[in-house]
Amino acid sequence: MGISTLAITTDGGPLLVRQSDHNASSPPLLAPSRSGSLEPHDLVESGGGARSTMHDAVRAGMERELCEETGLSPDSVAGTALTGVARWMERSAKPEFSGVTKLSVSSDEARNTASRGVERLYSSDVTAREIDFAAVGGELRGGADVSTPPAFRTWCATSARSRSCSPSAPQR
């Protein structure tokens, strides 16, 4: 089963990972904080017993993938909520669970991490962005066409810290 999570830092920034050129999916684009597959050891508690629910196993897998592929420590994870499940048609209808992970570190702290081990082949860097969620909501309420890319520059937060919201997007 596939698992993906978007991690949110303590200051509200979504943590994104740039896929490397070696990645089969979407090289070299930005991706959710992490995605991967559930592994057999995600079904087992650290003490050796089986996890009590499938939701617990999926959350454990999301948090494991996040830590492996961003270099964050497990102590940086405050919790994960499942947000949905879908079938990935390009992958033979493989089920894909999605979630949102709350972190206990700031965007600045998260930027100083890097993937570990074999994951370095697939993740080239970790970045945190500030997104103006009110602007996103306004676009969506205003009938934005969700089948086309968003007007990203309107989604960037306007604080002085967000000057690098998107390297290619004009700043407001």
Side-chain angles (χ1 to χ4, degrees), residues 18-70:
R18 184 169 309 281
Q19 307 280 44
S20 78
D21 291 333
H22 301 289
N23 202 308
S25 297
S26 307
L29 301 177
L30 289 174
S33 306
R34 218 46 252 161
S35 59
S37 294
L38 202 61
E39 295 181 0
H41 61 271
D42 296 327
L43 305 173
V44 180
E45 294 278 355
S46 58
R51 295 203 187 272
S52 57
T53 68
M54 185 171 141
H55 287 123
D56 290 342
V58 170
R59 279 192 296 268
M62 288 176 176
E63 292 172 2
R64 174 191 49 76
E65 284 283 347
L66 174 67
C67 291
E68 286 176 0
E69 298 186 25
T70 63

Side-chain angles (χ1 to χ4, degrees), residues 1 4 11 24 35 38 44 54 58 62 66 74 88 130 140 161 167 171:
M1 289 189 295
S4 296
D11 51 351
S35 59
L38 202 61
V44 180
M54 185 171 141
V58 170
M62 288 176 176
L66 174 67
W88 197 352
E130 289 184 50
L140 294 173
R161 294 181 348 149
Q171 297 300 308

Side-chain angles (χ1 to χ4, degrees), residues 2-167:
I3 49 178
S4 296
T5 190
L6 180 63
I8 307 295
T9 61
T10 55
D11 51 351
L15 193 64
L16 303 172
V17 175
R18 184 169 309 281
Q19 307 280 44
S20 78
D21 291 333
H22 301 289
N23 202 308
S25 297
S26 307
L29 301 177
L30 289 174
S33 306
R34 218 46 252 161
S35 59
S37 294
L38 202 61
E39 295 181 0
H41 61 271
D42 296 327
L43 305 173
V44 180
E45 294 278 355
S46 58
R51 295 203 187 272
S52 57
T53 68
M54 185 171 141
H55 287 123
D56 290 342
V58 170
R59 279 192 296 268
M62 288 176 176
E63 292 172 2
R64 174 191 49 76
E65 284 283 347
L66 174 67
C67 291
E68 286 176 0
E69 298 186 25
T70 63
L72 290 168
S73 74
D75 294 340
S76 300
V77 176
T80 299
L82 300 184
T83 58
V85 64
R87 295 230 178 234
W88 197 352
M89 299 312 289
E90 292 84 10
R91 299 241 170 154
S92 302
K94 176 182 178 181
E96 178 82 18
F97 287 86
S98 59
V100 175
T101 300
K102 183 178 178 182
L103 298 176
S104 60
V105 295
S106 70
S107 296
D108 289 336
E109 292 169 296
R111 282 187 196 101
N112 294 324
T113 63
S115 56
R116 295 179 269 194
V118 71
E119 301 301 336
R120 281 187 259 162
L121 288 173
Y122 307 107
S123 303
S124 63
D125 68 77
V126 177
T127 187
R129 300 286 196 232
E130 289 184 50
I131 294 179
D132 184 341
F133 288 106
V136 173
E139 279 192 30
L140 294 173
R141 282 188 301 280
D145 180 2
V146 296
S147 66
T148 60
F152 192 75
R153 70 177 185 271
T154 66
W155 291 22
C156 297
T158 56
S159 72
R161 294 181 348 149
S162 67
R163 302 242 184 250
S164 64
C165 185
S166 172

